Amino acid sequence: MPGHIIFLTLFAALLHAGWNTLLRGGADRLWSMTIMCLTIAVTCIVIALFLPPPAVTSWRYALLSALLHVGYNLCLVRSYQHGELGQTYPIARGSSPLMVTCGAALFAGESIDAGTLGGIALVCAGILLLAVRRGKPAMPGLRYALATGVFIAAYSVVDGMGVRVSGNALAYTVWMSALWGVLMPLLYIALRDGRSLLRRRPGMLHAAAGGLVSLLAYGIIIYAMTSAPMGAVSALRETSVLFAAVLGALFLGEALTLQKVLACALIAAGTLLIG
């Protein structure tokens, strides 16, 4: 994997951990997530005015990815209602890289060398170790965290395939994100009501900023997938759990234990193999 792709992917991982910290710290996480998506939609619609549309062959991927992102949002919100950032986030993110590698091999014809596969395995083991307490995952909402991981793997493979036939990685990202950003507010209105969505509340600016950070982070990842294997990019992106562990300790009062430090060492070794 090229050096600049490694750097960009690690930067995206930091951004991703940042917006998840904002979401986990919010009182009404469904509302916060919807404000984030609304911000993403408005931003992408404006950017799309200055870009050519992606190739027609990529549109079905963009629509499918937008639907998968909505499912991911709902599962992530449910997960944070049951567990802390340093517990839920690692399970969700750690379960996805090997799924992505298998999906990319099955549906995109990708092959991956033994060293990279070993690195992905180390990253996954380290991430999952972050979420284990006393030998087992101690988390009431484990099923939601694992479901989140499935959605992550699914949309990562779909976007990796879509961006490669789009003819323009930026255009694909913008159009897909605009679709995703529009679908989430519609779902919120169906579940609750329209008036509560746009009513000004504490945390609205933080949620909007989180949307912009999320958009930038995923745009970087999609760009990385245009020149590096999906599984390797996905695994390297999951080093965001390192940042999440630190941010959870700094801003959410979560413990940074020896077990977490050892898990981080595994992840660091895995990223070296991937790189």
Side-chain angles (χ1 to χ4, degrees), residues 40-50 174 178 182:
I40 288 170
V42 172
T43 303
C44 288
I45 289 169
V46 171
I47 295 174
L49 297 176
F50 302 93
V174 166
V182 167

Side-chain angles (χ1 to χ4, degrees), residues 12 20 34 55-56 59 70-71 87 99 104 142 148 198 223 229 247 254 270:
N20 272 267
T34 307
V56 175
W59 290 2
V70 171
Q87 185 181 38
M99 296 183 201
L142 178 61
T148 303
L198 296 178
Y223 168 75
L247 292 173
E254 298 177 2

Side-chain angles (χ1 to χ4, degrees), residues 15-45:
L15 294 177
H16 197 278
W19 76 256
N20 272 267
T21 304
L22 287 173
L23 178 63
R24 177 61 182 81
D28 185 346
R29 298 180 185 96
L30 179 61
W31 175 80
S32 296
M33 177 65 83
T34 307
I35 291 297
M36 288 174 61
C37 291
L38 192 58
T39 304
I40 288 170
V42 172
T43 303
C44 288
I45 289 169

Side-chain angles (χ1 to χ4, degrees), residues 54-146:
V56 175
T57 51
S58 69
W59 290 2
R60 64 181 184 273
Y61 295 104
L63 178 57
L64 177 56
S65 177
L67 292 171
L68 291 170
H69 270 84
V70 171
Y72 157 74
N73 289 346
L74 293 176
C75 287
L76 185 63
V77 167
R78 270 299 183 93
S79 296
Y80 285 156
Q81 290 172 350
H82 293 279
E84 62 181 34
L85 180 71
Q87 185 181 38
T88 298
Y89 191 86
I91 294 175
R93 305 308 304 186
S95 60
S96 66
L98 288 182
M99 296 183 201
V100 170
T101 304
C102 294
L106 286 172
F107 301 111
E110 279 193 1
S111 59
I112 194 163
D113 61 61
T116 301
L117 187 59
I120 291 171
L122 280 177
V123 170
C124 289
I127 291 172
L128 291 175
L129 182 58
L130 279 171
V132 172
R133 290 181 180 177
R134 297 174 185 171
K136 61 180 181 180
M139 182 178 168
L142 178 61
R143 64 185 183 276
Y144 295 115
L146 290 174

Side-chain angles (χ1 to χ4, degrees), residues 148-172:
T148 303
V150 172
F151 276 110
I152 292 168
Y155 73 61
S156 295
V157 172
V158 169
D159 283 335
M161 296 170 67
V163 75
R164 293 179 182 183
V165 297
S166 67
N168 188 315
L170 179 58
Y172 176 87

